[in-house]
Amino acid sequence: MRPPPRPSSARAPASLREPRMQPMKPSAMSKRKLRESSGESAECISQVQKILRERFCRHCAAGRLFGMEQQHRHLLELLRRTTVHGESNSALLIGPRGSGKSALLNHVLKDLREMEQVRENLLEVHLNGLLQTNDSVALKEITRQLQLENVVGDKVFGSFAENLAFLLEALRKGDRSSSCPILFVLDEFDLFVHHKNQTLLYNLFDISQSAQTPVTVIGLTCRQDILELLEKRVKSRFSHRQIYLLNSFDFKQYMKIFKKQLSLPAEFPDESFAQKWNNNVQLLSEDRAVQGVLQSLFQHSKDLRSLHSLLMLACSAVTVHHPLLTAADLQEASRQHSTDSKANLVHGLSVLEICLIIAMKHLNEVYDGEPFNFQMVYNEFQKFIQRKAHSMYNFEKPVVMKAFEHLLQLELVQPLERPSARAQREFLLLRLLLDSSQIMDALQVYPNCPTDVKQWAASSLSWL
């Protein structure tokens, strides 16, 4: 007899077995959730970048004004009376660069456009002294911004005043009360002073005092003595309204500005992320490393433009994988922000040009900063070659002169006076525009700098 099969060892055929349940891969669900969460994070980061970039842009009126409340009220009332009551006027915004002149004006114009009484009843003409270098260019720009090219056509005018008067007459709608007011903004106002006979300023100020189209002229300048530069006839037609802007806050207020500028607003779409971001900003403000970075910047420059540049660099490091700012981000941004542009030029120089700069450095040390000439630099370089007995540095004098002229073109070396045609180049007095620390820092990161050149630069005495 055949023994019965042992059930313990017997297996059913593959076709008769119950289908085995395959467990769902956990990585699939986690990847899907990760994609969803990363999508939300990417949206949050995009919103953060947009809000902060608009806030840090000095021409944008999205951010807050600090310490300018009185000036804001004064300028807003001045322009409101122009737009609502048809009053003409003129004023100057005076303050150092970075004090917020453009930001103040942009905030005032933004607030003005939001008033119900204005309703876009104000024409704006923005001129810049760096672009409109003479009165004819300025007049063409005024015509373009007022969209009067077709009205002017091929007409010929006898003078600048007639041309400007024709433009303003074309905009009139009857009497003074119903005419559309015009705001002229003159950025870099002190450069318009150098126009021939100050004709543009004279006519604008003259119109702002006459019973014609309502016109207000606002000038922005960093010159404190601007009134002394105006001609007598121009000064007599100016209203002498001057609004001064100064950064008068201390370091405590500076830290508060830092927190407010980095904090997200209450209306941010993702409340939990905004809360996490703002808590992180508070922790950053209490961090000693961050305070050290801000203290160094505050001592160097109190203007908010520098702070905005620093924060813009730091916020560029914010990504989906790095959603919150750290003290290291601000330290790296500070390093980039304070990078010396002249020292960076040294990184692209040849070894011969580096040697000439080191020779000038030693001449400054030996002669206590007195000016030098090419012949002195060449002799110093020759001493180094003889000391080291290196044939690789033994260039002919015309080649060395060519390298020296390249340093002059890069403005790393500056002549004391304008060279004449008869002056010998070898004996022209010069001054080095790099100090010893800048040269040594640049040599530390110079790629493949020869060791003996570094040693020569580090020596405190010249090769006598």
Side-chain angles (χ1 to χ4, degrees):
M1 289 183 64
R2 182 182 296 175
R6 288 179 294 179
S8 58
S9 60
R11 295 187 62 187
S15 58
L16 299 178
R17 292 179 202 158
E18 292 184 5
R20 193 174 181 181
M21 297 295 292
Q22 295 290 334
M24 189 175 182
K25 294 183 179 179
S27 58
M29 291 183 64
S30 59
K31 283 182 180 178
R32 187 172 63 186
K33 288 183 179 180
L34 185 62
R35 280 198 301 269
E36 293 175 357
S37 62
S38 64
E40 295 173 358
S41 299
E43 183 65 28
C44 286
I45 297 302
S46 176
Q47 288 289 332
V48 169
Q49 293 280 10
K50 181 182 178 182
I51 291 171
L52 295 182
R53 287 179 187 277
E54 287 180 353
R55 188 180 295 173
F56 298 152
C57 179
R58 67 185 181 91
H59 295 297
C60 182
R64 282 191 55 186
L65 289 173
F66 298 96
M68 303 182 193
E69 292 78 11
Q70 183 179 355
Q71 293 90 334
H72 181 272
R73 288 194 299 269
H74 187 179
L75 187 59
L76 182 61
E77 178 62 19
L78 192 70
L79 296 183
R80 191 190 68 81
R81 296 182 73 85
T82 299
T83 53
V84 176
H85 303 294
E87 294 183 7
S88 295
N89 220 311
S90 56
L92 286 176
L93 295 180
I94 303 175
R97 296 196 183 279
S99 57
K101 300 183 292 295
S102 298
L104 172 63
L105 181 64
N106 290 337
H107 274 78
V108 168
L109 292 176
K110 177 176 175 288
D111 294 343
L112 200 65
R113 297 185 192 105
E114 293 174 354
M115 292 183 178
E116 295 182 2
Q117 303 152 311
V118 176
R119 293 179 184 175
E120 299 181 356
N121 189 36
L122 180 68
L123 294 176
E124 299 176 23
V125 176
H126 294 263
L127 304 177
N128 192 304
L130 294 171
L131 302 176
Q132 285 75 48
T133 53
N134 56 56
D135 289 346
S136 61
V137 175
L139 193 61
K140 288 180 182 178
E141 183 63 17
I142 292 172
T143 307
R144 186 190 69 81
Q145 293 192 30
L146 294 178
Q147 300 178 3
L148 295 175
E149 296 95 336
N150 295 332
V151 177
V152 174
D154 297 328
K155 291 184 174 62
V156 179
F157 299 95
S159 66
F160 178 89
E162 291 177 6
N163 199 340
L164 184 60
F166 176 80
L167 291 178
L168 298 179
E169 185 69 26
L171 295 171
R172 296 188 64 180
K173 300 180 183 177
D175 58 0
R176 182 182 178 86
S177 60
S178 61
S179 295
C180 190
I182 306 174
L183 170 66
F184 286 91
V185 178
L186 306 183
D187 206 351
E188 303 290 345
F189 180 84
D190 49 287
L191 297 181
F192 288 99
V193 172
H194 301 298
H195 289 194
K196 186 178 179 182
N197 299 328
Q198 300 182 2
T199 307
L200 174 66
L201 298 181
Y202 171 78
N203 284 280
L204 289 179
F205 287 152
D206 186 57
I207 292 170
S208 68
Q209 284 198 339
S210 59
Q212 298 180 16
T213 304
V215 168
T216 290
V217 182
I218 303 294
L220 286 73
T221 180
C222 58
R223 292 285 299 265
Q224 300 285 336
D225 60 341
I226 187 63
L227 292 183
E228 304 298 325
L229 303 178
L230 297 177
E231 294 180 0
K232 189 174 181 181
R233 62 175 189 147
V234 178
K235 194 185 297 184
S236 65
R237 284 160 176 77
F238 175 52
S239 68
H240 289 265
R241 277 193 171 87
Q242 302 167 65
I243 302 174
Y244 287 91
L245 299 176
L246 296 171
N247 295 327
S248 56
F249 40 78
D250 57 15
F251 186 66
K252 280 188 177 180
Q253 294 170 315
Y254 192 76
M255 289 299 300
K256 290 181 181 177
I257 293 172
F258 164 76
K259 287 192 291 186
K260 288 179 180 177
Q261 291 293 78
L262 269 185
S263 299
L264 295 178
E267 59 271 14
F268 190 78
D270 192 331
E271 293 183 7
S272 62
F273 182 83
Q275 183 66 32
K276 189 188 301 182
W277 175 277
N278 292 339
N279 290 340
N280 182 64
V281 170
Q282 178 63 36
L283 293 175
L284 282 177
S285 66
E286 298 168 0
D287 190 287
R288 294 203 172 190
V290 174
Q291 290 177 359
V293 168
L294 295 177
Q295 182 75 47
S296 175
L297 182 64
F298 180 77
Q299 291 173 352
H300 180 264
S301 175
K302 290 175 64 175
D303 64 79
L304 297 185
R305 184 187 300 176
S306 298
L307 178 62
H308 289 166
S309 300
L310 176 73
L311 297 181
M312 184 80 83
L313 285 171
C315 290
S316 63
V318 175
T319 61
V320 174
H321 304 293
H322 183 68
L324 298 177
L325 279 176
T326 62
D329 294 333
L330 284 163
Q331 288 174 322
E332 176 62 19
S334 177
R335 189 190 63 77
Q336 296 178 14
H337 185 261
S338 59
T339 299
D340 193 340
S341 59
K342 282 194 176 296
N344 280 344
L345 288 176
V346 179
H347 302 164
L349 299 180
S350 65
V351 175
L352 173 58
E353 291 163 342
I354 290 283
C355 289
L356 293 181
I357 286 180
I358 295 172
M360 297 177 212
K361 169 182 174 291
H362 285 310
L363 286 173
N364 277 340
E365 292 173 357
V366 173
Y367 297 105
D368 198 20
E370 290 295 319
F372 51 83
N373 56 37
F374 168 75
Q375 190 62 44
M376 297 169 65
V377 175
Y378 183 73
N379 293 339
E380 193 73 17
F381 179 53
Q382 288 298 315
K383 292 176 188 177
F384 167 65
I385 295 175
Q386 293 168 8
R387 176 71 176 253
K388 287 295 180 180
H390 269 304
S391 59
M392 62 177 292
Y393 302 129
N394 196 10
F395 298 95
E396 295 182 1
K397 192 172 182 179
V399 177
V400 180
M401 171 59 83
K402 196 69 178 176
F404 191 80
E405 288 176 348
H406 185 226
L407 297 178
L408 275 168
Q409 292 174 356
L410 293 175
E411 297 184 356
L412 296 176
V413 183
Q414 183 183 42
L416 292 187
E417 56 186 13
R418 189 174 182 180
S420 61
R422 295 181 179 179
Q424 292 183 342
R425 295 179 300 172
E426 292 87 345
F427 303 103
L428 183 66
L429 289 178
L430 305 150
R431 193 180 298 279
L432 181 63
L433 299 182
L434 293 168
D435 59 32
S436 180
S437 62
Q438 287 177 308
I439 296 171
M440 297 308 297
D441 290 344
L443 286 177
Q444 294 300 320
V445 293
Y446 186 84
N448 303 321
C449 184
T451 305
D452 50 0
V453 173
K454 283 187 178 181
Q455 290 174 351
W456 181 36
S459 62
S460 59
L461 295 177
S462 177
W463 301 93
L464 298 175

